[in-house]
Structures are given as C-alpha cells and as structure tokens.
Amino acid sequence: EMERNLRRWVRREFGDYAGDCLVFADVAERSEHLRRLGIIADVFLDTPAYNAHTLGCDALYMGVPMISLLRPLEETDSRDTADSKLELEFAADVDSSNNARPPGDAQHEESSRFIATEKLASRVGASLLAAIGLGLEDDLVHPDMDRYEDGMVRCALDEDWFADVRRRLVSSRDSSPLFDTERWVRNLEAAFRAMAEVGGLDSDGSGVDELPDIWVSDHD
C-alpha cells in the first residue's frame, strides 16, 4: 500500500511518467544491499528534516555522493520566529468553514520550503560528509533549498566534477575518520575514562550529579 500511495503522489505531482521512476527494493543481506547500492545509485539525496544515518554511511562507503542541507544557525533562529508569526496570520485569515490554507498564496508557498536544520537529526548528513573529507567547499552541503536543488542538477550535468567526487569518496574510504572503527573505539574509550576521572564516580556510578562536556582528540 505504501508503494502504491507513493507512486500515486509522484504521478499527481510530476506526471504519469514519474511513477515508473520509483524503484522499490526487497530486504537483502548486508553484502547484497551494499553491492546493489553501489551499482544502482548515482547520487544520494539526503532528506533535510531528518537526515540519513546508517543508509547515508552505506551510500558514502559505496562511493555514492550525497547532497545535504545545512542552514546557518542564525538564519534558522530568525526564520523560526518569522514562520511562527506567518502561521498565526494564516490561521486568522482562514474561513471557519474551510480549514485549508489559501491555495497558491506565494508567501505561504515560500514559507513551506523552509526546513530548519538546528536539531541533531537534521545535521547528520553534513557531519558524515565532513568526516569523509567533503562538504561545503565541494558543493555537497547547501545552506538553502534552492542551492540544494542546484547541487542535484550539477550531479547530473557536470560529469567531470561528479566523477572526481566519486573518485575521492572511494579513495578516502579506508583512511577517513568516518570508517575508521578502531579510531572510533579508542576515542570512545578515552571519553569513558575522562568521564570517570572528572566525575570521580564510585563503582556503582554514584558520586556526581552532572558531568561536563567531554571532548576527545586522537592524541588523548
């Protein structure tokens, strides 16, 4: 039913031809999942409100470039206030017999394109790209939806740039912090030791009400 509903929505929004552009895959073993991801996918479009986590890592591991949205925090804070005011204005203008917002209202359409990215779940994609050595300067992390869409188009049209991004992804897979599991484990263990030392924890975990932030570098 989910697949049927998605195809119906895509056809309504983009035309009948678009429904056939959706390809749904069956659940597979991890090795097969990674293999087909690397073969079938050309680019991974990170969902802005709630970013990819494990699947984003899988795509990058298989050399599939990812486009992600990350707004400046100060823009998000100011826009939240403006959007809240706008919502109240629309609520006051809607007729009590019709709960729908005024169709085609340019101000509301523009507001609906704004997606905040101040929460952890909406900043994961940019973090994954940074950890593998790619990001803002590589035209993969974008501050607004217009440039996010421009990035999508560039992936399709700029063949030389796109090939270079894929090459860099593959070449950095074994050396980047994102896929260095041993490094990650060392740093996590160092953080645990720092928490115990700073907090003066007893064997049962008691002895401290609140721990400070712990920052761990590769040299700790």
Side-chain angles (χ1 to χ4, degrees):
E1 183 178 359
M2 179 271 293
E3 294 181 12
R4 184 172 62 253
N5 289 339
L6 284 174
R7 290 191 194 280
R8 184 185 303 118
W9 180 86
V10 167
R11 289 190 180 102
R12 186 182 71 236
E13 293 293 320
F14 304 106
D16 290 340
Y17 76 94
D20 296 331
C21 295
L22 295 179
V23 178
F24 296 94
D26 294 328
V27 176
E29 294 292 333
R30 179 162 178 76
S31 58
E32 172 61 14
H33 158 69
L34 292 174
R35 186 194 70 81
R36 69 188 184 190
L37 182 61
I39 293 174
I40 296 173
D42 293 313
V43 62
F44 189 100
L45 303 180
D46 195 21
T47 47
Y50 195 99
N51 290 176
H53 291 61
T54 301
L55 188 55
C57 289
D58 291 344
L60 294 174
Y61 186 79
M62 296 308 297
V64 179
M66 179 166 65
I67 300 291
S68 192
L69 176 74
L70 182 65
R71 295 184 182 278
L73 284 175
E74 60 273 13
E75 177 184 342
T76 298
D77 293 340
S78 62
R79 189 58 179 271
D80 283 343
T81 302
D83 282 353
S84 297
K85 180 180 178 182
L86 181 60
E87 292 295 324
L88 292 174
E89 291 173 352
F90 273 118
D93 291 339
V94 173
D95 186 270
S96 59
S97 63
N98 180 10
N99 292 325
R101 288 192 171 90
D105 189 289
Q107 188 181 16
H108 179 260
E109 290 178 358
E110 192 277 334
S111 176
S112 67
R113 287 175 57 83
F114 182 82
I115 302 173
T117 60
E118 81 279 11
K119 304 299 184 182
L120 183 148
S122 57
R123 304 174 70 83
V124 173
S127 295
L128 296 180
L129 286 164
I132 205 168
L134 297 168
L136 289 168
E137 65 279 5
D138 300 289
D139 211 21
L140 295 175
V141 177
H142 301 279
D144 57 58
M145 287 305 298
D146 287 336
R147 276 176 278 191
Y148 180 102
E149 293 174 5
D150 290 342
M152 295 164 47
V153 173
R154 186 178 186 188
C155 287
L157 300 182
D158 193 337
E159 296 181 3
D160 292 339
W161 168 80
F162 188 71
D164 182 63
V165 169
R166 297 202 73 153
R167 178 191 58 77
R168 291 168 59 192
L169 276 176
V170 173
S171 64
S172 64
R173 184 171 64 186
D174 296 330
S175 59
S176 70
L178 183 60
F179 300 116
D180 191 342
T181 303
E182 292 184 359
R183 174 181 183 266
W184 186 88
V185 170
R186 288 196 304 270
N187 289 342
L188 181 62
E189 291 174 341
F192 287 157
R193 288 193 296 270
M195 283 188 279
E197 293 170 0
V198 171
L201 295 178
D202 297 329
S203 59
D204 61 356
S206 63
V208 65
D209 294 327
E210 183 178 352
L211 287 170
D213 292 335
I214 301 294
W215 295 88
V216 176
S217 69
D218 289 334
H219 303 294
D220 292 340

